Amino acid sequence: MVPTPITVRVPAKLNLHLSVGDSRSDGYHELVTVFQALSLVDEITIRTADEPGLDVRGEGAEVTPTGADNLAWRAVTELAHHCGRDPANPGVRVSLNKGIPVAGGMGGGSADAAATLLALNSLWRLEMGREELAEVAGRLGSDVPFALQGGTALGTGRGERLVPVLARHTYHWVIAMNEEGLRTPDVYGELDRLRQTSSNRVGDVEPVLEALASGDPRELALLLGNDLQAAAVSLRPVLRRTLRAGVDAGALAGIVSGSGPTCAFLCTDEEAAVRVAAELSGAGVCRTVRVAQGPVPGARLVGDDKADRPTPPQVHA
């Protein structure tokens, strides 16, 4: 009897605070970050197949790798190895329906890997708990464990060590996608170069946690910070115009998401977010604008009834 295909919905991530330490001996940087999962999602469907492989459609499909270097496929081989299956012949096909920008600093690849782990856990009936899945996730990438957990969380180490954070508010965001992605290693490399002549760093994380607990978006807006923003802007100077345009359109604040080049703008409420998105889409400073909200849950199995599937508004610039 052929198992029913398994579909998982998984959210994008946004770094509300990203403090980057010096480079470690293993090549990573020590991080202190506050993640928030947003309603911008990818959906991953996995089914048994005689011809294993991966296919992609949706946002950025034309530039998404479909071979062994795709993080979702790496999740297949890593989990197969972990549970004693043949990594060279896992017998599954992975279909990605992408809504998260590729190489946009919103953790799309990590989200796909997390969703793949959760789907395979169900398809293969492994009955692995979230903690064991998170252990495998941490071997795949720094952001993969958070994509499993979702919500709002404090991340330390490489970002893989997580503690849930209380957030007393639904936060409304406008997401401005750039024409072309940025490679995360390139942005970290640029940060290291800039730090040879500058010591500017974001502040302590505690005020951010207090602002989230208060539930006041205006208070949070004053504290958004990302050490990678200067590096992303250095590599992609047009981001200065994007960040300025979003604030001019009425956002409380704007920030480069992770390693960029996607920019996120915090708004007072849903109506304000729609207004900002409409104005920003006509400013000529980004490719596409979307409205999102957070926090939302991490990777979740999708049932037969998909009526609850979120469809964030989209405005093409």
Side-chain angles (χ1 to χ4, degrees), residues 35 53 74 88 114 118 122 136 160 190 290 297:
F35 293 108
R74 284 174 52 199
L118 188 62
S122 178
V136 179
E160 84 285 8
E190 180 68 2
R290 294 192 184 183

Side-chain angles (χ1 to χ4, degrees), residues 32-290:
V32 176
T33 187
V34 178
F35 293 108
Q36 185 163 98
L38 301 189
S39 57
L40 196 64
V41 300
D42 282 1
E43 279 195 354
I44 288 79
T45 298
I46 298 185
R47 55 179 52 83
T48 58
D50 294 331
E51 297 183 11
L54 182 146
D55 55 79
V56 186
R57 58 191 176 94
E59 172 69 37
E62 67 282 357
V63 295
T64 302
T66 57
D69 53 345
N70 184 287
L71 202 52
W73 192 255
R74 284 174 52 199
V76 173
T77 57
E78 182 68 29
L79 190 60
H81 184 268
H82 181 82
C83 68
R85 289 176 173 260
D86 181 7
N89 186 26
V92 296
R93 186 152 199 94
V94 180
S95 297
L96 307 181
N97 185 9
K98 295 196 62 63
I100 304 171
V102 176
M106 300 196 77
S110 296
D112 296 342
T116 298
L117 293 177
L118 188 62
L120 285 176
N121 186 44
S122 178
L123 185 73
W124 289 344
R125 299 180 181 178
L126 301 178
E127 298 185 359
M128 291 169 57
R130 287 270 174 166
E131 287 189 8
E132 188 176 359
L133 283 174
E135 179 186 335
V136 179
R139 298 200 293 266
L140 290 165
S142 301
D143 294 341
V144 183
F146 176 71
L148 277 174
Q149 176 174 310
T152 306
L154 174 67
T156 55
R158 294 182 285 113
E160 84 285 8
R161 298 200 299 265
L162 301 172
V163 177
V165 168
L166 176 65
R168 293 185 182 277
H169 189 82
T170 296
Y171 295 91
H172 298 275
W173 300 90
V174 174
I175 308 300
M177 300 182 188
N178 203 259
E179 288 288 350
E180 187 179 354
L182 281 172
R183 294 181 64 252
T184 298
D186 293 343
V187 179
Y188 274 95
E190 180 68 2
L191 175 66
D192 291 337
R193 186 189 71 80
L194 292 175
R195 282 185 169 171
Q196 295 173 11
T197 57
S198 172
S199 59
N200 290 339
R201 302 192 183 212
V202 299
D204 189 75
V205 70
E206 288 300 327
V208 180
L209 303 181
E210 292 170 4
L212 285 164
S214 77
D216 185 350
R218 292 174 179 82
E219 185 178 341
L220 179 62
L222 296 172
L223 298 166
L224 297 176
N226 178 6
D227 275 339
L228 292 177
Q229 180 162 309
V233 171
S234 176
L235 294 172
R236 194 68 55 78
V238 70
L239 295 181
R240 289 192 185 90
R241 293 179 56 215
T242 306
L243 291 166
R244 189 181 310 117
V247 174
D248 289 346
L252 296 174
I255 189 171
V256 171
S257 176
S259 57
T262 304
C263 294
F265 298 94
L266 180 58
C267 300
T268 53
D269 53 34
E270 185 175 7
E271 287 186 11
V274 171
R275 289 196 302 270
V276 170
E279 187 165 337
L280 190 59
S281 68
V285 294
C286 55
R287 173 176 57 85
T288 301
V289 176
R290 294 192 184 183

